[in-house]
Amino acid sequence: MNVFQWKGNLFTPKENEHMIFSATIPIEEKQPELIWKGGKILLSEWQRILAFFRANAKEEVHCRLYYNTKSKEWKAWAMPQIQNGMTTKEMENSPEKTEQLKQFGKEWTYLGTIHHHCSGAAFQSGTDKTDEEGIPGLHVTVGGIDKPMISTHARFQQSGFFYSVKVHDFIELDLPYIPYGEAIVHSN
């Protein structure tokens, strides 16, 4: 099928007894979706991440997310990093980083990040978007880490596109979790 686009419409050649012409192809307007079919982050791992964030609530910290393609297990790794208020940067040439990375064998793939916005709301900031564009996978921002109720914002970057996803599709959540727009609110 020969398909082409012109002025926002898709066309394909059609032919009848009198002519050959370009016919429009109807397109349904809808938000692209991603449906995760893999394993979920265990509740115990989620709680470990939140404990790390709460211990570092005054300044932003982040973790890499690794996914085991065989066991379908997720693991968060708080790599050596430099904190500076609402920003954090990995220590690229750290000997600790090189040593710690050895825990992930060939069956593990780097598949996202998770970080917190201290007492601020969970959202994808401009800096977050820039940082995440080159990293395929799940990206989660946690907001209000210093409060009893946290908020989350999750997205999945694949092939250069950010899909809006629900955190409960990736994390084994325990009640009470209350849907709140695009976020999930967690009560301790």
Side-chain angles (χ1 to χ4, degrees):
M1 174 192 270
N2 185 11
V3 176
F4 63 94
Q5 181 179 349
W6 187 65
K7 293 188 177 183
N9 295 303
L10 289 181
F11 293 87
T12 188
K14 290 281 184 172
E15 185 174 343
N16 65 24
E17 61 187 283
H18 306 290
M19 68 186 107
I20 298 173
F21 61 99
S22 299
T24 58
I25 301 172
I27 303 172
E28 178 185 355
E29 183 74 26
K30 73 180 234 179
Q31 182 175 347
E33 64 181 351
L34 180 136
I35 299 169
W36 178 251
K37 299 188 317 182
K40 290 187 175 188
I41 297 170
L42 296 177
L43 181 59
S44 58
E45 185 70 0
W46 176 243
Q47 290 169 334
R48 194 175 71 82
I49 294 165
L50 294 180
F52 171 66
F53 287 176
R54 287 194 166 113
N56 293 277
K58 300 245 186 268
E59 292 187 292
E60 185 175 308
V61 290
H62 75 278
C63 297
R64 285 185 178 193
L65 294 173
Y66 283 84
Y67 184 71
N68 187 308
T69 55
K70 290 186 179 174
S71 69
K72 301 191 181 311
E73 173 188 2
W74 287 87
K75 188 171 186 181
W77 173 50
M79 79 300 296
Q81 55 195 282
I82 299 168
Q83 296 168 264
N84 187 14
M86 288 297 289
T87 61
T88 180
K89 185 145 183 76
E90 288 187 30
M91 296 171 64
E92 290 301 325
N93 299 317
S94 164
E96 293 170 316
K97 179 179 177 181
T98 304
E99 187 61 32
Q100 290 174 13
L101 273 171
K102 291 178 183 175
Q103 69 182 305
F104 300 106
K106 63 181 175 164
E107 66 278 358
W108 290 91
T109 185
Y110 178 22
L111 199 62
T113 62
I114 183 167
H115 71 283
H116 73 79
H117 280 177
C118 302
S119 61
F123 67 98
Q124 183 188 34
S125 70
T127 301
D128 296 342
K129 185 176 187 298
T130 300
D131 291 346
E132 296 163 1
E133 283 176 328
I135 306 168
L138 176 65
H139 299 281
V140 180
T141 306
V142 177
I145 199 66
D146 60 338
K147 298 172 179 60
M149 298 275 286
I150 63 166
S151 62
T152 61
H153 181 273
R155 56 250 168 231
F156 198 102
Q157 194 276 110
Q158 182 65 37
S159 302
F161 184 81
F162 282 95
Y163 294 86
S164 178
V165 296
K166 304 292 185 202
V167 76
H168 63 265
D169 289 336
F170 292 88
I171 301 172
E172 281 186 352
L173 297 178
D174 194 15
L175 292 176
Y177 282 85
I178 306 153
Y180 185 74
E182 290 296 314
I184 298 293
V185 177
H186 168 85
S187 174
N188 284 351

